[in-house]
């Protein structure tokens, strides 16, 4: 299982990106802008968890470290 975080700041397109904190990512937000999503078996579970916590926000997987969950 991997640990995932979400950026509490939206990207220019309005998405809050989910990142894999276990493998690391060159595009992760600064630590003060990270919200821990806990451990998940894949980015799909982490994105679903984030969407359930923040249903009014646009949630997306990072293109670089969560590409299977990247949609926009």
């Amino acid at each position: 299982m991997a640990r995932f975080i979400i950026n509490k700041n939206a990207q220019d397109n309005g998405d809050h990106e989910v990142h894999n904190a276990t493998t690391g990512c060159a595009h992760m937000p600064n630590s003060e802008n990270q919200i821990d999503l806990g451990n998940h078996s894949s980015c799909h579970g982490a994105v679903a968890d984030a969407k359930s916590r923040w249903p009014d926000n646009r949630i997306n997987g990072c293109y670089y470290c969560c590409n299977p969950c990247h949609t926009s």
Side-chain angles (χ1 to χ4, degrees), residues 25-70:
C25 179
H27 302 277
M28 284 181 65
N30 294 334
S31 59
E32 64 270 13
N33 296 321
Q34 297 178 15
I35 300 171
D36 187 24
L37 294 173
N39 294 321
H40 296 274
S41 58
S42 72
C43 63
H44 297 288
V47 168
D49 181 24
K51 286 182 176 182
S52 72
R53 293 191 203 188
W54 301 282
D56 296 330
N57 288 353
R58 289 179 43 179
I59 311 290
N60 195 13
C62 171
Y63 175 83
Y64 300 97
C65 66
C66 295
N67 190 268
C69 298
H70 178 77

